[in-house]
Amino acid sequence: MGIPAQPVRLLSEKTRASAVLYEEATRSMPGGVTANIKHFDPYPLFMKSASGAELTDVDGNEYIDYNLCYGALMLGHGHPRVMKAVREQLEQMGTPVFGTPHALEMEMANKLISLYPSVDSIRFTNSGLEATMFALRLARAFSGRHKVAKFEGHYHGGYDQVLISVHARKRKRNTPPEVRADSMGIPKEVQEQTVVLPFNDWETAEPILDRFREELGAVILEPVQGGFIPPKPQFLRNLREYTRRHRIPLIFDEVKTGFRMGLAGAQGRYGIIPDLTALGKVLGGGFPVGAVGGRREIMELTSPVRHGDVLAGDREAKGEEVLFHSGTYNGHPTILSAGWATISVLEESGVYTAVEEAAHRLREGMEEILNRYGFAARTVGDGTIFNLVLGEHPVTEIQDWLRSDLSLRRRLDHLLLEKGIYLKPLSRFSLSTAHNAAEVEETLNRFEAGVKQLKRG
Ligand SMILES: Cc1ncc(COP(=O)(O)O)c(C=O)c1O
């Protein structure tokens, strides 16, 4: 997909300082970035400050932020209660981290147990990636089987087992998705342990499950694909019934949906209870975090009270009988204080309704503007995250998204950046409590200016 020339030229004219920094960054970091997701053409924008729903770049341009650190900032940037909690926590503790157990990790564990129906017991990690990786290890250990089934287009972090078929390729309807590594360096033997299923297409998914079910140690999915394609209710019910019947632990990766689809995530919203849940993003209040929770009998496999492991050295280590889990920063108190403050705000009555209403108003407004200018378009999503689809057809799976006009969308996204709407091109829109009615109206004004320009070609 080529870079759209005119929108890029307009954006480049006002982001010269970003271009200079980027050029410099390419000399010290591969591709000028320290996470590939942060790259886009012609160069990523460098930010210098943020407040509420707004980002300011190094050239002084202001943007209404719909990326929100890939959805993590449910309260927007620099929410006063989060900032205060972190400052106070540092003051009180006299250090960023103890490196020992502390009361807040237990309080947060209890909070998550009370909110997430699937969670009896919990462990913290430092990222969403670590959370899903640990959940898979737990599931495999519990079931005693080793293959993992994941869904086409679903992202669970960039490690070998699940960095497979995240990048979906067009295929005929009702045909099985390809099993394909999304990175160099993934051993064939690891890839062979991953089974890929189509999301929201039970007729195609079930025979694949049937073929591998004796070997499957886990099924993992994003309950809302990419944070914006909602599950068909019957699809999710079928998957739950099937995995229960065949004793395959079902893992909901709620790294995106946790605290976004409500306080209890997608499982609360759709009423389907997995065996294990991975959390991240919003839980960290803007800091890196992850967590895995689930059925007690599964979680207990990792208890050092059963047997020691190689690091829990005061008991006999029996590698085959204990499930290793550790991390220098797990349960980091400063991070949990930001997460705790975030959850306290989200627990106040009416908070989700307000963000969802803002999302609804924005979606309606964008659709109305695009249709008025003669573009076939719709928004897709549920709750506080949605995506914009340019094309005639409804989107219920990733294949529909691939059939939409992605190059027109890319052109629009560059125009929106130039007009002051921040979004990683082709990515979803996430809203926060900072996106109030005024922000939404201003977004729609800028959006209309972008669409007008798109129409002019
Ligand atoms: C659904 C999902 N799972 C896992 C991850 C990995 O999380 P992290 O980037 O914190 O490692 C992400 C990140 O975008 C995600 O969206």
Side-chain angles (χ1 to χ4, degrees):
M1 221 175 290
I3 316 170
Q6 187 236 22
V8 164
R9 183 174 49 71
L10 293 173
L11 183 62
S12 303
E13 279 166 12
K14 55 193 285 194
T15 58
R16 291 181 199 279
S18 275
V20 171
L21 281 178
Y22 176 66
E23 183 52 38
E24 228 177 287
T26 55
R27 280 179 239 131
S28 47
M29 293 182 283
V33 288
T34 188
N36 284 357
I37 193 170
K38 292 185 187 160
H39 186 270
F40 56 83
D41 288 322
Y43 48 84
L45 302 179
F46 284 60
M47 298 297 161
K48 69 168 182 210
S49 63
S51 172
E54 308 231 323
L55 282 170
T56 304
D57 74 11
V58 287
D59 287 274
N61 299 304
E62 287 175 358
Y63 304 83
I64 304 176
D65 186 10
Y66 286 94
N67 179 57
L68 293 173
C69 194
Y70 301 92
L73 299 169
M74 181 67 184
L75 304 184
H77 295 277
H79 191 285
R81 293 211 349 227
V82 176
M83 302 293 267
K84 182 164 176 274
V86 171
R87 275 190 218 108
E88 285 180 0
Q89 183 77 14
L90 285 167
E91 271 301 293
Q92 279 164 21
M93 294 187 302
T95 177
V97 64
F98 299 119
T100 68
H102 55 93
L104 181 56
E105 64 185 359
M106 189 228 354
E107 285 160 23
M108 183 61 107
N110 285 335
K111 172 64 76 185
L112 297 176
I113 291 166
S114 74
L115 292 174
Y116 282 77
S118 66
V119 175
D120 302 330
S121 171
I122 200 143
R123 277 283 177 96
F124 294 103
T125 66
N126 301 292
S127 66
L129 178 157
E130 277 179 51
T132 65
M133 193 154 62
F134 177 43
L136 287 175
R137 180 180 287 169
L138 281 164
R140 283 165 151 162
F142 185 75
S143 62
R145 300 185 291 246
H146 289 110
K147 281 198 194 320
V148 165
K150 72 173 293 282
F151 285 83
E152 176 189 36
H154 290 212
Y155 180 66
H156 305 294
Y159 56 101
D160 294 358
Q161 180 82 61
V162 290
L163 196 63
I164 306 278
S165 304
V166 179
H167 175 71
R169 289 169 178 80
K170 277 189 195 161
R171 60 178 163 83
K172 287 207 186 89
R173 279 189 202 285
N174 309 118
T175 58
E178 271 182 290
V179 183
R180 213 158 146 160
D182 289 309
S183 173
M184 298 165 76
I186 296 182
K188 262 247 154 321
E189 307 76 62
V190 178
Q191 186 177 325
E192 282 164 8
Q193 297 300 315
T194 301
V195 172
V196 179
L197 305 167
F199 182 62
N200 267 347
D201 175 2
W202 186 249
E203 283 63 42
T204 311
E206 191 178 21
I208 305 176
L209 284 166
D210 282 343
R211 187 168 153 218
F212 290 104
R213 72 171 178 237
E214 300 300 327
E215 297 166 88
L216 280 180
V219 174
I220 185 168
L221 82 160
E222 291 191 68
V224 177
Q225 168 150 17
F228 71 94
I229 303 179
K232 291 178 182 165
Q234 191 56 42
F235 175 81
L236 218 47
R237 279 197 290 273
N238 287 344
L239 187 64
R240 178 63 284 191
E241 279 163 24
Y242 188 99
T243 47
R244 189 171 285 132
R245 193 165 0 112
H246 297 289
R247 298 175 182 281
I248 307 167
L250 177 64
I251 303 169
F252 272 16
D253 176 354
E254 296 237 34
V255 170
K256 281 195 197 79
T257 49
F259 295 103
R260 278 224 158 252
M261 312 293 297
L263 285 167
Q267 55 199 265
R269 197 166 183 104
Y270 302 120
I272 302 286
I273 312 304
D275 299 295
L276 291 167
T277 298
L279 293 168
K281 294 201 193 270
V282 178
L283 176 63
F287 292 91
V289 85
V292 177
R295 282 164 53 193
R296 187 173 299 282
E297 54 188 327
I298 305 180
M299 295 301 297
E300 278 301 311
L301 291 177
T302 199
S303 163
V305 175
R306 293 176 62 245
H307 295 290
D309 66 26
V310 29
L311 295 187
D314 57 345
R315 287 171 193 256
E316 193 191 348
K318 294 183 183 168
E320 292 304 305
E321 293 175 38
V322 72
L323 195 137
F324 181 88
H325 176 236
S326 267
T328 301
Y329 294 112
N330 289 5
H332 196 293
T334 313
I335 296 176
L336 293 187
S337 73
W340 187 267
T342 301
I343 295 171
S344 321
V345 174
L346 294 175
E347 280 180 321
E348 286 172 4
S349 95
V351 171
Y352 281 99
T353 313
V355 186
E356 290 192 10
E357 273 171 14
H360 182 68
R361 167 80 194 103
L362 187 60
R363 290 175 63 169
E364 262 185 358
M366 286 178 166
E367 287 174 356
E368 187 278 319
I369 291 166
L370 281 160
N371 293 338
R372 182 150 45 82
Y373 282 85
F375 294 104
R378 68 186 72 227
T379 59
V380 184
D382 187 13
T384 66
I385 304 179
F386 68 90
N387 215 334
L388 181 58
V389 182
L390 301 180
E392 301 281 348
H393 305 289
V395 170
T396 60
E397 48 175 308
I398 195 73
Q399 291 294 320
D400 302 320
W401 165 256
L402 294 180
R403 287 185 194 101
S404 70
D405 194 340
L406 297 178
S407 63
L408 187 67
R409 170 68 204 274
R410 193 181 281 270
R411 220 156 63 214
L412 175 61
D413 287 351
H414 277 88
L415 287 166
L416 296 182
L417 278 171
E418 194 261 321
K419 304 287 175 226
I421 297 177
Y422 188 81
L423 191 71
K424 166 107 195 273
L426 291 188
S427 187
R428 58 198 179 271
F429 291 71
S430 299
L431 278 80
S432 74
T433 54
H435 290 72
N436 56 29
E439 300 283 352
V440 168
E441 287 319 302
E442 180 54 28
T443 305
L444 289 174
N445 291 337
R446 295 180 192 184
F447 187 78
E448 180 160 2
V451 172
K452 204 186 263 179
Q453 212 156 326
L454 186 68
K455 183 75 184 173
R456 284 205 298 266

